[in-house]
Amino acid sequence: MKNPFKKKNKLYLSDKQPLTPLGVVGLGLTYLVLAIWVIAILWPLAQMIISAFNGKQEQYIMLNDNFEFSMEHFKYLFSETLYLTWVKNTLFISITTAIFTLIMVSFTGFAYSRYRFKGRKASLMAIMLIQTIPTFAGITAYFTMHSIISSIAPWFTRQLMLILIYSGGGIAGNTFILKGYIDSISSELDDAARIDGCSSMQVYRLIIMPIARPMLAIIALWSFIGPFMDYLLPRVLLTNPKSYTLAAGLFTLISDFRTLNQPAFAAGGLLTAVPIVTLFIVLQKQLVSGLASGSVKG
């Protein structure tokens, strides 16, 4: 006869069974693949940093050279190239793109989330389809648009055209993302604000935008990073070296024999990462909140 007072052993989901020999092999392979992946990422970064500070390298990066700490490649970058001009151009394009994208996306995301209007579903479907078209596919149309606009407004430069391309390309996808985030915010907050006498614009400004600030921070970061990472469009649209962005300008240090300097290119790539890493650190709290809180709102 079983003892009714005897406690039964309980199993919890956190309890793990001992690994079988096959499981040990699988775990070892997993760690091996992860180790190879880490080495594949960190090794080029380490070589870039070493080459940027190695004074024994001249035009080419030589991995077997002895290391001698020097800042001459950075001096070359600032004195013999248009690096500071490229930085200024990139910051102007990135900041303007981020601001313009944030303004447009905040309105469109709010409108698609909170209002029901004719053509809403069709336009949302169009937004999804737009993302399948590569930006570079419209290069001929971009040249035509710039020619038409610049003939009417001579101040409309190719850099401004680049800003419109980046902003226009980012509005569609970011609108869809922000709409999904705002959908997770309870509409009862809107109703309570309207009962208190708030207009639709006040609901947008005082209720929705403060709550959606983490997601807006993510959108701003994506919009800011885009011009730093893109090489193809600036290289095609910007014909004057003085108007180049960092990606297009630094590429001349490894593509043109007259200005070939691979260690200086490594130094420029290292400096290019500074504003992006700084922005990540500044927006760290907002980024984590935006990625984590969307699933628990409502």
Side-chain angles (χ1 to χ4, degrees):
M1 183 176 179
K2 294 183 179 180
N3 186 357
F5 299 101
K6 185 177 180 180
K7 295 183 178 179
K8 296 181 180 179
N9 294 328
K10 295 182 180 180
L11 294 177
Y12 299 92
L13 293 176
S14 60
D15 295 334
K16 295 182 179 179
Q17 299 295 328
L19 288 175
T20 62
L22 185 61
V24 173
V25 173
L27 184 62
L29 291 176
T30 301
Y31 279 111
L32 178 63
V33 171
L34 290 175
I36 294 174
W37 183 253
V38 170
I39 293 173
I41 294 176
L42 294 183
W43 189 80
L45 292 177
Q47 292 301 324
M48 181 185 72
I49 296 173
I50 293 172
S51 300
F53 291 100
N54 191 354
K56 287 194 173 182
Q57 296 183 352
E58 296 181 359
Q59 280 188 320
Y60 297 94
I61 293 178
M62 307 296 292
L63 301 182
N64 296 326
D65 273 4
N66 295 326
F67 180 79
E68 179 182 335
F69 182 82
S70 174
M71 299 292 290
E72 64 176 270
H73 301 310
F74 293 92
K75 294 179 181 177
Y76 175 87
L77 201 64
F78 287 102
S79 61
E80 302 296 331
T81 69
L82 298 172
Y83 181 77
L84 292 178
T85 302
W86 299 335
V87 170
K88 182 184 69 175
N89 295 338
T90 308
L91 287 176
F92 168 71
I93 293 174
S94 297
I95 294 173
T96 308
T97 299
I99 293 174
F100 188 74
T101 302
L102 274 181
I103 293 174
M104 294 301 297
V105 168
S106 64
F107 281 110
T108 55
F110 174 71
Y112 275 108
S113 176
R114 288 299 192 255
Y115 293 96
R116 301 295 181 265
F117 49 88
K118 187 175 181 180
R120 177 176 173 272
K121 291 185 178 180
S123 57
L124 282 174
M125 184 61 66
I127 287 175
M128 295 181 63
L129 294 177
I130 287 174
Q131 300 306 297
T132 64
I133 303 174
T135 305
F136 192 74
I139 191 65
T140 304
Y142 300 149
F143 275 109
T144 304
M145 290 171 59
H146 178 266
S147 300
I148 295 174
I149 299 175
S150 60
S151 63
I152 301 173
W155 50 266
F156 188 79
T157 63
R158 290 179 180 266
Q159 288 186 351
L160 294 179
M161 186 67 197
L162 202 59
I163 292 172
L164 289 181
I165 294 173
Y166 286 139
S167 302
I171 287 173
N174 290 325
T175 294
F176 202 84
I177 294 172
L178 185 61
K179 173 199 172 295
Y181 189 88
I182 297 177
D183 284 344
S184 66
I185 302 174
S186 176
S187 59
E188 294 179 359
L189 296 175
D190 303 23
D191 299 335
R194 288 191 171 90
I195 291 174
D196 290 337
C198 290
S199 62
S200 296
M201 182 58 68
Q202 288 175 322
V203 171
Y204 158 83
R205 182 172 58 88
L206 300 176
I207 306 297
I208 301 299
M209 287 303 102
I211 299 177
R213 184 168 54 186
M215 184 54 66
L216 292 175
I218 294 176
I219 293 174
L221 184 62
W222 288 342
S223 303
F224 181 84
I225 292 176
F228 277 88
M229 301 292 103
D230 185 34
Y231 161 75
L232 210 53
L233 281 176
R235 188 66 182 87
V236 173
L237 290 176
L238 305 177
T239 55
N240 186 351
K242 292 184 178 181
S243 65
Y244 281 172
T245 60
L246 274 171
L250 289 176
F251 193 74
T252 60
L253 298 178
I254 58 174
S255 62
D256 191 340
F257 183 79
R258 296 168 298 179
T259 58
L260 182 66
N261 195 321
Q262 293 179 353
F265 174 82
L270 186 61
L271 291 177
T272 301
V274 172
I276 298 176
V277 173
T278 302
L279 196 60
F280 263 103
I281 294 174
V282 172
L283 297 177
Q284 183 178 11
K285 184 181 295 185
Q286 299 293 336
L287 294 176
V288 173
S289 176
L291 292 174
S293 63
S295 60
V296 298
K297 288 185 179 294

